Amino acid sequence: MLTRIFPFLGWFKKYSGAAFRADIISGLTVALVLIPQSMAYAQLAGMPAYYGLYASLLPPMVAALFGSSRQLATGPVAVVSLMTAASLEPLATAGSEGYIAYALLLALLVGIFQFLLGVLRLGLVVNFLSHPVVNGFTNAAAIIIASSQLSKMFGVYVDKAELHFETIMRVIKGAIHYTHLPTLGMGVLAFVIMVGLKRVNPKIPNVLCAVVITTLLSWATGFNHDVRVDISAIQDTEVQSVITDFNKSVTGIEDLAVKRTEIAALEDKAKSEKNQIGYYDAEHDLAVVNYQVNVLKHQSHELRAALRHFLFEGVEQADGSMAFYVEGKTPAGLTTDGRTWRIKVGNKMLDTAALKMMGGGAVVGNVPSGFPALAIPSLDLKVILKLFPFAIIISLLGFMEAISIAKAMAAKTGQRLDPNQELIGQGLANMLGACGSAYPASGSFSRSAVNLQAGAVTGLSSVFTSAIVAVTLMFFTPLLYNLPQAVLAAVIMMAVIGLINASGFIHAWKAQKYDGAISIISFVATLAFAPHLDKGIMIGVALSLGVFLYKSMRPRVSNLSKGEDEVLRDASIHGLRECDHIAVVRFGGPLFFANASFLEDQITDRLLNMPNLKHIILVCSGINDIDASGEEALSLIVDTVRSGGRDISLSGVNESVMDVLARTHLLEKIGKDHVFADTDSALCKTHAQAHHDGTESDCPLTTYCRVRGNA
């Protein structure tokens, strides 16, 4: 009982010193991959890079302690990071304090949902995400993730558009206008290092090597070169005017946001007091303010794009300060520093006394040392209601990824895997992680594979991984300052290559054409609606459920006959001749309210289309369940068949269906002598009577009975 509550107690049965050493080595190996990868995934989620380290502190350890898999490596993963960004971007600006608060709350909701599913033993709910849907989604997500990193690879900055492909078009236009070659070079170098080392020796931590080499190169060459200047240092009145207008638009948006909050409060008050006039006045004012906000947002976007379009040449002054001229407008006789400078523009108002001018590539920058404060995320009911649908999707997607990895490893190690216990572990990891400033985490395929290859014996390896992340946060964060953002982009792009699986579409199509179609539609919908990824998943799930319902409403109803081998088979598939006097009908599925009338229609069709029909044998081996509607339909079928002077028998009825027939007295109506254990027994009993005075000289169903009779 104790090991059910604390699964990690089972690690230490027959635990040895060799296993302890293997776990330490595995934990260290995974940490060397996790630290740079987690920082990259955090930025993919719209969080500051160091939040990836926070998400790698508690979740790996907690998931290992309370899960059932001993090799599953939990932490930030690409798909969950992308889903986090897609969920939160409509609510707040990426990287802002509000956005971070929402991300932590989202992690808490994901954890609670997963934990409750595990405790209530509802792990099977993940089956709502069918394999074709997940395949289509993950392939599309891989493309979205990889393409989302292009701006960092080229060193260009653009506003995100409503749809992802529009954002990529903006990135391409920006790259054509200006690409920072050193940034692109860093990204390409990281790719070369990772791919090269992977081919030379897969056991070498290629991601870590790429990060270390490029960080040292960035530090040695002064890759990052930013300065703070007063607006007067920009020697162009047009640029100064655009900066002023941009600040006015941002300030206007902030002022309107305050006004909108006040009006919303008045609206709520009027609603609670049932003041209809006050409510409609507030609703009108709110609509006006929202329109004004949208106008200013569009204006600020245009001004921000204009500022990013300006390229400057820097000229060092006699006092050591810098003056900046629009490229091509530097006065003759002045010597530039050879760099191309740009203004760093975000969503906030620009500080005209300390404008940030970028003359190099982007780096991670300052990473706070020490552990994050432990605190329960701020709970807001309105925000929780908005985030809850996304939390459900992330919970199911994350768990599906984790459990599929865990199952694959369990097949190799021979250990017992409990999906519900794994849900409890993942849920606790996300809940406690949220209290430690972690955004949603899940099981990682790549790091779990590394953990298994490194020889991990128990989940203690993940505990060591968390310990190494803790040491990094305490002592080594200053070493991450010069890590180029382009390298993190390369790490993400390299990691998601493994998510692309074109053969999955072909496999699904070969299995069932409708599965292939669902996979392709999920893929296209996810791409088309990105960054609103939930729409792609919902479309896929709706199609899967639609196909399931359609198949349940119209299960396969087959006419059976015999060939030369005297085995009953589907006559239409195998091209077998059928008997004129006996119809052997097989119903493939549970008989319930949704398909009961369908069976009636099928039997009626046979009665109308077979004028010489004397007996129907309903093969019930495929009917594993029957409800009241199904029982009523079966009773009506018996009445219909027998009222026309024909007869009907059942064969292969299982115990649960037989119990229903007995309780409803339908068994008495059919007659126990008309219910047979198997179809051959039914044929032998009914064949002679059905063919009495018949015109059929050679019945395909007689061979077996003839042999049995002779015996």
Side-chain angles (χ1 to χ4, degrees):
M1 179 63 185
L2 200 60
T3 54
R4 287 186 62 83
I5 302 173
F6 304 108
F8 58 88
L9 294 176
W11 296 350
F12 304 106
K13 293 178 181 177
K14 300 179 181 179
Y15 197 66
S16 63
F20 182 72
R21 286 191 297 273
D23 283 339
I24 290 179
I25 294 170
S26 301
L28 173 62
T29 306
V30 172
L32 295 179
V33 177
L34 173 61
I35 290 169
Q37 209 174 58
S38 66
M39 297 176 70
Y41 289 154
Q43 294 196 318
L44 178 62
M47 306 282 285
Y50 55 86
Y51 273 85
L53 296 176
Y54 296 163
S56 306
L57 184 60
L58 289 176
M61 176 174 63
V62 175
L65 289 171
F66 294 96
S68 63
S69 175
R70 298 189 178 188
Q71 285 83 26
L72 183 66
T74 300
V77 296
V79 173
V80 171
S81 297
L82 181 64
M83 282 298 301
T84 299
S87 306
L88 301 180
E89 280 177 355
L91 302 178
T93 303
S96 64
E97 290 184 9
Y99 185 96
I100 293 170
Y102 291 155
L104 305 188
L105 178 57
L106 181 63
L108 181 65
L109 294 176
V110 168
I112 291 172
F113 186 75
Q114 289 179 328
F115 181 77
L116 290 176
L117 285 181
V119 169
L120 298 174
R121 317 294 290 177
L122 295 175
L124 291 176
V125 75
V126 76
N127 291 335
F128 279 108
L129 291 174
S130 66
H131 177 73
V133 173
V134 173
N135 179 70
F137 173 78
T138 51
N139 275 277
I143 294 172
I144 294 166
I145 291 168
S147 57
S148 70
Q149 301 305 301
L150 291 176
S151 60
K152 291 179 182 176
M153 288 293 290
F154 290 120
V156 298
Y157 300 88
V158 298
D159 284 355
K160 288 189 175 180
E162 180 66 23
L163 296 174
H164 179 71
F165 73 88
E166 294 174 338
T167 304
I168 299 306
M169 292 304 296
R170 290 180 181 179
V171 171
I172 293 171
K173 288 179 181 178
I176 292 172
H177 171 65
Y178 171 77
T179 294
H180 189 239
L181 294 178
T183 294
L184 182 59
M186 282 289 187
V188 171
L189 177 61
F191 267 120
V192 171
I193 294 170
M194 288 186 287
V195 173
L197 290 179
K198 197 171 185 180
R199 289 185 177 179
V200 171
N201 188 348
K203 292 185 178 181
I204 297 175
N206 55 78
V207 174
L208 182 68
C209 291
V211 165
V212 171
I213 292 170
T214 53
T215 302
L216 289 173
L217 188 61
S218 170
W219 168 76
T221 60
F223 174 72
N224 175 243
H225 198 82
D226 299 340
V227 296
R228 296 275 183 179
V229 298
D230 186 83
I231 191 172
S232 60
I234 297 177
Q235 308 297 308
D236 191 289
T237 55
E238 180 189 354
V239 176
Q240 292 179 356
S241 176
V242 174
I243 291 172
T244 302
D245 291 342
F246 173 74
N247 282 347
K248 285 180 181 178
S249 67
V250 173
T251 304
I253 292 171
E254 292 173 352
D255 293 342
L256 287 172
V258 174
K259 188 176 180 180
R260 183 165 54 185
T261 304
E262 294 172 353
I263 295 172
L266 291 173
E267 184 182 40
D268 290 340
K269 183 180 178 183
K271 188 176 181 180
S272 63
E273 294 175 353
K274 298 183 179 179
N275 179 1
Q276 287 189 338
I277 295 175
Y279 177 80
Y280 288 129
D281 283 343
E283 197 174 46
H284 171 267
D285 292 342
L286 201 59
V288 172
V289 169
N290 284 334
Y291 172 76
Q292 292 172 337
V293 167
N294 289 333
V295 170
L296 285 178
K297 280 185 175 180
H298 178 72
Q299 182 181 337
S300 66
H301 161 66
E302 295 291 334
L303 294 169
R304 189 161 44 240
L307 287 173
R308 287 170 176 165
H309 192 77
F310 286 116
L311 302 177
F312 301 90
E313 295 172 337
V315 177
E316 188 172 352
Q317 305 297 297
D319 60 357
S321 63
M322 295 291 295
F324 298 95
Y325 298 87
V326 174
E327 198 172 53
K329 294 184 179 181
T330 304
L334 295 181
T335 303
T336 67
D337 62 357
R339 295 179 179 272
T340 300
W341 294 82
R342 296 161 293 163
I343 301 173
K344 175 66 174 176
V345 190
N347 295 311
K348 297 181 179 179
M349 187 173 70
L350 294 172
D351 185 354
T352 54
L355 286 174
K356 186 174 182 179
M357 300 295 294
M358 300 181 297
V363 295
V364 168
N366 289 316
V367 176
S369 296
F371 300 145
L374 290 175
I376 298 174
S378 178
L379 303 177
D380 185 320
L381 184 59
K382 289 183 178 179
V383 177
I384 289 173
L385 292 176
K386 287 182 179 179
L387 291 179
F388 193 67
F390 297 106
I392 293 174
I393 294 172
I394 292 173
S395 298
L396 296 180
L397 266 178
F399 176 65
M400 187 169 223
E401 185 175 2
I403 199 65
S404 61
I405 300 159
K407 282 181 178 177
M409 293 190 297
K412 292 182 179 180
T413 60
Q415 72 175 94
R416 179 180 174 275
L417 191 68
D418 183 352
N420 291 302
Q421 187 63 47
E422 203 58 56
L423 268 170
I424 292 172
Q426 293 289 313
L428 287 172
N430 276 305
M431 283 193 290
L432 295 177
C435 297
S437 298
Y439 73 94
S442 184
S444 164
F445 181 83
S446 59
R447 295 194 299 272
S448 297
V450 169
N451 200 28
L452 185 64
Q453 289 171 1
V457 178
T458 69
L460 204 58
S461 62
S462 292
V463 176
F464 288 130
T465 296
S466 291
I468 293 163
V469 172
V471 171
T472 302
L473 280 168
M474 287 297 293
F475 303 108
F476 299 118
T477 54
L479 300 178
L480 300 170
Y481 182 94
N482 287 293
L483 173 57
Q485 294 280 7
V487 174
L488 292 181
V491 169
I492 290 175
M493 294 171 82
M494 187 74 180
V496 298
I497 288 173
L499 293 176
I500 298 175
N501 177 25
S503 62
F505 296 106
I506 300 170
H507 181 78
W509 186 271
K510 287 181 178 178
Q512 291 287 358
K513 289 185 178 179
Y514 57 78
D515 277 338
I518 289 172
S519 192
I520 293 169
I521 292 170
S522 300
F523 172 77
V524 173
T526 304
L527 282 179
F529 288 112
H532 310 291
L533 303 181
D534 55 307
K535 293 183 179 179
I537 294 175
M538 291 300 184
I539 288 171
V541 170
L543 287 172
S544 294
L545 291 176
V547 168
F548 169 75
L549 289 173
Y550 180 79
K551 290 177 66 180
S552 298
M553 292 170 65
R554 299 178 65 85
R556 186 168 184 82
V557 179
S558 310
N559 278 11
L560 304 184
S561 189
K562 291 184 177 182
E564 293 181 358
D565 58 359
E566 299 184 11
V567 176
L568 284 166
R569 290 191 174 90
D570 190 321
S572 61
I573 292 177
H574 295 278
L576 302 176
R577 185 169 64 87
E578 299 176 45
C579 177
D580 291 337
H581 303 301
I582 299 177
V584 183
V585 182
R586 181 173 62 197
F587 188 81
L591 184 58
F592 67 120
F593 67 93
N595 60 26
S597 61
F598 180 67
L599 178 59
E600 290 183 63
D601 294 340
Q602 291 291 310
I603 297 298
T604 302
D605 287 345
R606 284 158 176 78
L607 293 174
L608 294 174
N609 297 327
M610 300 177 69
N612 298 322
L613 182 64
K614 299 291 184 64
H615 202 109
I616 295 175
I617 298 175
L618 184 60
V619 180
C620 302
S621 55
I623 304 176
N624 54 15
D625 193 19
I626 186 171
D627 67 358
S629 299
E631 184 274 339
E632 180 66 24
L634 193 56
S635 178
L636 289 172
I637 288 170
V638 172
D639 289 337
T640 301
V641 172
R642 289 179 175 171
S643 65
R646 301 175 175 95
D647 204 355
I648 185 170
S649 299
L650 308 184
S651 72
V653 183
N654 69 21
E655 293 86 348
S656 60
V657 175
M658 188 70 81
D659 287 343
V660 174
L661 300 184
R663 288 198 303 269
T664 58
H665 303 290
L666 181 56
L667 183 60
E668 296 175 11
K669 182 176 183 178
I670 297 170
K672 292 184 179 180
D673 59 336
H674 281 65
V675 179
F676 300 92
D678 57 73
T679 308
D680 283 321
S681 298
L683 281 171
C684 290
K685 189 72 174 178
T686 61
H687 188 272
Q689 184 179 357
H691 284 77
H692 182 68
D693 295 332
T695 59
E696 191 176 49
S697 60
D698 183 19
C699 175
L701 301 175
T702 58
T703 310
Y704 178 83
C705 296
R706 202 164 50 238
V707 172
R708 186 174 181 180
N710 293 338

